[in-house]
């Protein structure tokens, strides 16, 4: 499996799917919240297997009965900590891709002229806020060779070279550990800042 360029699930078959399937990569990014990264990014492979397919199909997923799709994600082991709400989000994403891109996920970035244009397209996707869009833009540039003019600038800090900030910087277990350390440090700093703010408020209150 030499063509694996994304190593986020830390599982060869799941990473191979992420590397070759634009929709799987988008769905993995969508799932990447409130669960460990490997769990989120193995989700697309689990969903494809449960659908009896070797890839995800936006048209097919968008057309599925919502309860049946939610049940598919809820089977043990569940695809996400919140399989019901995530099933809904995945179907919304697929419906958007069907409506705006004929179900072709790669069309989101295939013909973009600039990083800013790509960021705008990603932010328009259901479930993709500013941060998620920037991380995915960086992932496209760093791991999948999608590099429109100004892509690093559009991705902000996530686009920088030689950093370990997000899913875009992971190439194996070692870099995964570094990204995890960075995120933990960020959380600790945010908690400390919040505590200091509360203490200052009590002093002046």
């Amino acid at each position: 499996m030499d063509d694996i360029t994304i190593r986020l699930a830390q599982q060869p078959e799941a990473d191979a799917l992420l590397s070759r399937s634009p929709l799987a990569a988008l769905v993995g990014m969508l799932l990447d919240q409130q669960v460990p990264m490997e769990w989120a990014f193995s989700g697309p492979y689990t969903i494809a297997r449960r659908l009896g397919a070797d890839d995800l199909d936006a048209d097919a997923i968008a057309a599925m009965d919502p309860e049946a799709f939610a049940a598919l994600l809820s089977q043990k082991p569940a695809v996400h900590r919140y399989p019901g709400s995530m099933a809904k989000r995945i179907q919304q994403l697929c419906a958007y891709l069907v409506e705006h891109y004929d179900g072709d996920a790669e069309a989101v970035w295939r013909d973009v002229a600039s990083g800013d244009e790509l960021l705008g397209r990603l932010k328009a996707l259901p479930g993709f806020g500013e941060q998620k869009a920037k991380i995915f833009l960086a992932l496209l540039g760093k791991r999948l060779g999608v590099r429109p003019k100004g892509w690093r600038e559009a991705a902000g800090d996530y686009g920088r070279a030689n950093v370990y900030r997000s899913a875009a910087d992971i190439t194996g277990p070692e870099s995964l550990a570094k990204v995890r350390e960075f995120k933990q440090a960020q959380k600790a700093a945010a908690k400390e800042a919040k505590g200091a703010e509360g203490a200052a408020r009590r002093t002046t209150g």
Side-chain angles (χ1 to χ4, degrees):
M1 293 193 181
D2 294 338
D3 55 346
I4 296 179
T5 51
I6 296 180
R7 290 183 172 80
L8 291 167
Q10 305 285 305
Q11 181 191 341
E13 296 85 359
D15 281 328
L17 178 62
L18 294 169
S19 300
R20 67 181 162 80
S21 166
L23 180 55
L26 275 177
V27 169
M29 191 74 234
L30 184 67
L31 290 167
D32 185 24
Q33 56 190 66
Q34 297 175 297
V35 294
M37 213 177 284
E38 308 95 301
W39 183 3
F41 282 98
S42 0
Y45 179 67
T46 305
I47 294 167
R49 282 187 63 194
R50 289 178 185 175
L51 287 169
D54 60 3
D55 195 357
L56 300 181
D57 181 311
D59 291 86
I61 290 172
M64 270 187 81
D65 172 68
E67 285 187 17
F69 190 62
L72 185 97
L73 267 70
S74 302
Q75 285 174 32
K76 297 228 180 322
V79 167
H80 194 274
R81 184 174 290 155
Y82 305 107
S85 59
M86 282 301 171
K88 191 176 175 183
R89 286 189 186 189
I90 291 169
Q91 285 196 293
Q92 286 170 342
L93 172 65
C94 288
Y96 182 90
L97 292 171
V98 169
E99 185 184 342
H100 296 272
Y101 297 100
D102 293 324
D104 177 8
E106 194 178 359
V108 175
W109 54 84
R110 187 184 291 123
D111 58 349
V112 290
S114 69
D116 285 339
E117 184 187 354
L118 177 50
L119 182 63
R121 287 189 182 193
L122 291 170
K123 280 164 65 176
L125 297 173
F128 277 68
E130 175 111 10
Q131 187 183 34
K132 199 177 276 287
K134 285 183 173 180
I135 292 171
F136 193 76
L137 199 164
L139 180 74
L140 287 171
K142 292 178 179 182
R143 303 286 151 245
L144 295 172
V146 178
R147 294 166 185 160
K149 189 178 177 185
W151 71 272
R152 285 193 189 273
E153 291 78 7
D157 285 340
Y158 299 109
R160 285 163 48 199
N162 306 312
V163 294
Y164 297 97
R165 299 180 74 93
S166 73
D169 304 310
I170 292 168
T171 53
E174 195 180 314
S175 46
L176 174 64
K178 287 182 181 178
V179 169
R180 200 156 266 154
E181 276 171 33
F182 172 78
K183 288 188 170 191
Q184 283 166 350
Q186 268 196 320
K187 270 186 191 170
K191 196 176 177 183
E192 199 176 305
K194 202 175 178 183
E197 195 182 298
R201 202 177 289 128
R202 283 194 297 276
T203 308
T204 56

